[in-house]
Amino acid sequence: MSNVSRSSLASNSHPLRLLVLSNGHGEDVIAVRILQELQRQPNPPEIFALPLVGEGRAYEQLDIPFIGSVLNMPSGGFIYMDGRQLARDVRGGLLQLTLSQIKAIRRWVSSQKKLGNKRAILAVGDIVPLLFATFSGANYAFVGTAKSEYYVRDEAGLLPRKSKDARWENFSGSVYHPWERWLMSRRRCKAVFPRDGLTTETLKQWPIPAFSLGNPMMDGLEPTFSRQKFYSQDVQQREIVRPFVVTLLPGSRPPEAYTNWETIMIAVSALMASFQERDSIFYTSKTVVFLGAIAPGLDSNILSQSVQSQGWRAESASPIQISDPNALTFKQRNAHLVLTQQAYNDCLHLGDIAIAMAGTATEQFIGLGKPAIAIPGNGPQYNPAFAEAQSRLLGSSLILIDQPAEIAKVVQSLFKDPDILQIIAENGGRRMGKPGAALRIAECLQERF
């Protein structure tokens, strides 16, 4: 037997052991998308995980074992928005949890080394998992979900900012500070996957192995209906008769999402009232559909009560086909409102515009080339600071308004100008990237590790 054959047999009998570190529910979901693609690769790695924030429920679908303790923190991971949230987390055991996680990572790396196994770490999120990966002693890669150059600049240059403190975000020529870039430029860092092309090009100014492969947030969003049907030959006729669809995105975390929903319902009422005015571009529209994309963890009864208190009555038939037999439909004048907890992707694809008070969902909707109107809430997630930062990240595709009643004027002006809608469509695709990033990242990881 040749030496080449022996070495290939040895590598097949000892697959790579990969430990995934992620810090938040959204980061867990992104990690799982990449891991699904990794598991489909020839000679896939043996995968372990350690969610640094929350219980890591997303990993359950792949039966990936955890190497250490997991714990839900009071803030839900949003400590960056509010110092009080950090204080609550510290009281809730954050420091003890962090120390135990550091020990677990080192123990895992040490045990794999003793067994003679090839080992690597995939860090998904921000500086915390990146820091843990750097000082683990193993080779590592980093998927940067938290930062983008779009927060401080666009293709034309730096964004104008009111706050003097804003200079701090970009003081060294990038949103990634020198200490973060140092962590990404270590010899054992084999790959860095920023969330967009602008950030990748910026990081390439330094000796960082940055790859522009897209954003996994745009993967797994295919609708249940056929794309051919959506863009069929009689598309112009369908466009005339089809309803105008507004997707409603209240966020996923209770109790904040319930408060957001109350605000969204005020905006819905204002929009409906404007559609009745003769100068409205929607005045002759046969019907309007509001599609509520409700997270499975929310109580639909609470939302239904809010809908009915605004004068909507329950209806058996829905004017629009979505993949949820349990969807709740309501009617008021020439409008329908549908609540679904199963047809999230359909809600994104069917919407012409979104009323948004969410993080990831807003970005995914805009990534499909559509405009969203956001109303800052009271947090802890969708507060004014978060919404303002998100509007910089997403540019012209996200329009912030102070009061729900202002929405009517914005919607009317948007849909009177096809050129603006075309600019928004191109902007969304550029900032969020094309689908397929998880597969491209998985293939790159196989190669780099």
Side-chain angles (χ1 to χ4, degrees):
M1 185 181 285
S2 70
N3 289 338
V4 174
S5 300
R6 282 196 189 95
S7 63
S8 63
L9 273 174
S11 66
N12 283 335
S13 60
H14 293 285
L16 172 72
R17 265 64 172 183
L18 181 68
L19 173 61
V20 185
L21 308 176
S22 53
N23 64 328
H25 172 71
E27 290 80 1
D28 298 346
V29 171
I30 287 171
V32 165
R33 287 195 186 123
I34 296 168
L35 298 181
Q36 284 173 322
E37 297 297 343
L38 264 174
Q39 289 180 335
R40 296 186 184 115
Q41 298 293 308
N43 195 28
E46 190 174 325
I47 300 168
F48 303 82
L50 183 59
L52 305 177
V53 174
E55 296 177 354
R57 295 278 173 86
Y59 291 101
E60 290 177 1
Q61 59 184 294
L62 299 184
D63 291 326
I64 292 171
F66 293 168
I67 65 157
S69 304
V70 295
L71 184 67
N72 262 328
M73 286 287 115
S75 73
F78 292 106
I79 60 175
Y80 308 108
M81 297 293 157
D82 187 344
R84 290 171 297 181
Q85 300 286 342
L86 174 58
R88 287 174 64 205
D89 281 5
V90 170
R91 288 195 299 273
L94 176 64
L95 296 179
Q96 295 92 319
L97 177 67
T98 301
L99 287 171
S100 75
Q101 289 172 337
I102 292 170
K103 288 177 183 175
I105 294 165
R106 287 181 172 171
R107 195 164 52 242
W108 182 85
V109 171
S110 176
S111 67
Q112 296 301 326
K113 190 175 181 179
K114 284 176 183 173
L115 291 168
N117 294 329
K118 195 174 180 183
R119 59 218 167 269
I121 291 179
L122 177 63
V124 181
D126 58 20
I127 190 172
V128 178
L130 176 59
L131 196 64
F132 286 10
T134 305
F135 294 105
S136 69
N139 289 340
Y140 59 95
F142 175 54
V143 180
T145 65
K147 287 195 171 186
S148 167
E149 289 298 324
Y150 282 115
Y151 281 118
V152 297
R153 72 176 79 234
D154 58 18
E155 285 76 10
L158 288 174
L159 302 174
R161 304 287 296 281
K162 294 176 184 175
S163 166
K164 289 181 181 178
D165 297 337
R167 294 176 195 163
W168 168 251
E169 294 177 49
N170 188 52
F171 79 96
S172 66
S174 170
V175 288
Y176 281 106
H177 298 317
W179 49 91
E180 294 170 305
R181 299 197 302 261
W182 184 85
L183 298 172
M184 289 186 263
S185 61
R186 297 302 83 206
R187 181 178 51 82
R188 284 187 287 100
C189 182
K190 300 303 180 184
V192 172
F193 306 105
R195 53 177 293 154
D196 52 67
L198 185 64
T199 309
T200 306
E201 290 309 307
T202 303
L203 288 177
K204 282 183 176 178
Q205 296 175 68
W206 297 279
I208 293 170
F211 297 86
S212 183
L213 300 183
N215 189 337
M217 281 173 60
M218 295 310 298
D219 289 349
L221 298 179
E222 294 78 16
T224 57
F225 47 80
S226 160
R227 301 297 291 174
Q228 277 85 11
K229 181 181 174 184
F230 202 55
Y231 297 109
S232 58
Q233 287 183 338
D234 61 341
V235 67
Q236 286 184 316
Q237 181 60 30
R238 286 175 178 269
E239 195 66 22
I240 293 168
V241 300
R242 81 173 182 89
F244 181 71
V245 180
V246 182
T247 299
L248 311 177
L249 303 170
S252 60
R253 294 174 183 271
E256 181 182 2
Y258 300 128
T259 309
N260 291 349
W261 183 254
E262 296 292 335
T263 303
I264 286 172
M265 286 308 299
I266 296 170
V268 165
S269 296
L271 206 50
M272 283 184 58
S274 77
F275 290 166
Q276 304 302 311
E277 296 168 6
R278 288 188 175 272
D279 63 344
S280 167
I281 60 167
F282 302 105
Y283 179 69
T284 57
S285 176
K286 290 183 179 177
T287 186
V288 179
V289 176
F290 296 94
L291 266 183
I294 310 306
L298 297 179
D299 185 343
S300 61
N301 291 324
I302 294 174
L303 303 175
S304 297
Q305 288 167 12
S306 174
V307 169
Q308 289 172 311
S309 71
Q310 295 279 337
W312 296 81
R313 65 180 188 278
E315 179 90 352
S316 57
S318 171
I320 203 162
Q321 295 299 309
I322 57 171
S323 60
D324 182 3
N326 301 313
L328 302 173
T329 304
F330 303 87
K331 191 172 190 298
Q332 187 179 148
R333 295 201 297 268
N334 69 324
H336 288 79
L337 192 152
V338 181
L339 296 181
T340 172
Q341 293 181 292
Q342 296 177 29
Y344 175 71
N345 291 6
D346 290 353
C347 289
L348 295 185
H349 281 273
L350 290 167
D352 294 293
I353 193 168
I355 304 175
M357 296 182 74
T360 300
T362 304
E363 294 174 31
Q364 289 173 326
F365 187 87
I366 280 171
L368 293 175
K370 304 166 185 226
I373 299 171
I375 312 159
N378 297 317
Q381 183 189 15
Y382 214 80
N383 54 35
F386 184 98
E388 188 275 333
Q390 191 182 48
S391 72
R392 282 184 275 120
L393 174 68
L394 299 172
S396 59
S397 300
L398 184 68
I399 301 139
L400 293 188
I401 58 175
D402 293 324
Q403 300 297 328
E406 296 172 27
I407 195 166
K409 187 169 62 176
V410 175
V411 172
Q412 296 287 347
S413 64
L414 270 176
F415 285 87
K416 279 177 183 172
D417 190 343
D419 290 343
I420 289 179
L421 293 176
Q422 181 60 35
I423 289 167
I424 284 171
E426 292 168 1
N427 176 71
R430 186 167 58 250
R431 296 197 182 217
M432 292 301 298
K434 294 176 181 176
L439 173 59
R440 293 189 288 272
I441 290 172
E443 290 173 340
C444 185
L445 287 173
Q446 284 281 79
E447 186 183 312
R448 302 293 290 181
F449 283 150

